[in-house]
Amino acid sequence: MVGCYTNRMHDVPADMLAKIASEIHACTACPLHATRTHAVPGEGPPEARVVFIGEAPGGDEDLQGRPFVGRSGQLLRKTIRETGWREDEVFIGNVLKCRPPNNADPVPEQVEACRHFLMAQLVILRPKVIVTLGRHSLNLLISPELKITKIRGQHIKKNGQLYLPTYHPAMILRNARLEPEFRHDLAKAKALCERS
Ligand code: SF4
């Protein structure tokens, strides 16, 4: 699936992202399509130097069709601003594009059905740094073996792509003592963007 997007390099990236978004809105490849209100493709400009990837939309995101707009999303967006980015210069998305009922963890079959959308988005975006938020994006994009508590804050280069794993902001809401580490990690991602 990724190849069909890379073969369209004469298309402008914004149009390619919009095409992927329209395919996500029409997707029925896994059972989550039946319970979603809106699919949530992700948002941000094609020239974004940093991409934040969480696990799946929650209730607020499902209602609005936008990523990270609930309580944990507000924390993420506030921390992004306080780190020195404008919200409109970063791309924010998820591994899954539709909400699992009751905010259940993504299951492997759902991730397998959906992953090509994220991979295609990343091929188009080609960001300097991908910040993985929580274990699901860490395990999909970097390695299924890694534990977030062991690896967070350490930048990793894989296949030429720079990654910075950190906590999911929902974890920070559950444990405010982790917030300084979360802030530190976003500041490190900003520094990596600026020097790489
Ligand atoms: Fe399609 Fe992904 Fe939504 Fe499943 S979660 S229906 S694969 S867009």
Side-chain angles (χ1 to χ4, degrees), residues 112-196:
E112 198 51 41
C114 204
R115 58 184 286 164
H116 68 93
F117 288 128
L118 175 60
M119 298 310 177
Q121 289 172 319
L122 294 177
V123 165
I124 294 163
L125 289 161
R126 299 173 62 219
K128 293 282 185 189
V129 179
I130 298 173
V131 179
T132 59
L133 303 167
R135 68 186 165 98
H136 292 284
S137 52
L138 167 70
N139 293 156
L140 175 67
L141 294 174
I142 307 177
S143 168
E145 312 298 329
L146 292 175
K147 300 264 187 268
I148 188 70
T149 47
K150 293 261 181 356
I151 201 70
R152 66 135 282 275
Q154 301 177 41
H155 63 280
I156 296 166
K157 199 157 196 178
K158 180 184 171 189
N159 298 331
Q161 175 64 59
L162 204 51
Y163 295 91
L164 198 289
T166 191
Y167 300 114
H168 194 284
M171 175 69 86
I172 310 303
L173 290 179
R174 290 194 292 272
N175 186 351
R177 284 180 300 177
L178 300 176
E179 187 165 355
E181 294 178 359
F182 183 64
R183 288 182 176 280
H184 171 272
D185 295 347
L186 264 60
K188 182 168 179 177
K190 182 106 176 11
L192 288 168
C193 271
E194 287 169 357
R195 82 162 190 228
S196 56

Side-chain angles (χ1 to χ4, degrees), residues 99-119:
R99 181 195 185 203
N102 304 314
N103 298 336
D105 279 348
V107 300
E109 293 77 13
Q110 295 161 355
V111 174
E112 198 51 41
C114 204
R115 58 184 286 164
H116 68 93
F117 288 128
L118 175 60
M119 298 310 177

Side-chain angles (χ1 to χ4, degrees), residues 24 27-33 36 96-98 110 113-114 117:
I24 291 169
C27 179
T28 58
C30 90
L32 297 181
H33 81 276
R36 72 186 174 212
L96 292 186
K97 309 305 190 185
C98 303
Q110 295 161 355
C114 204
F117 288 128

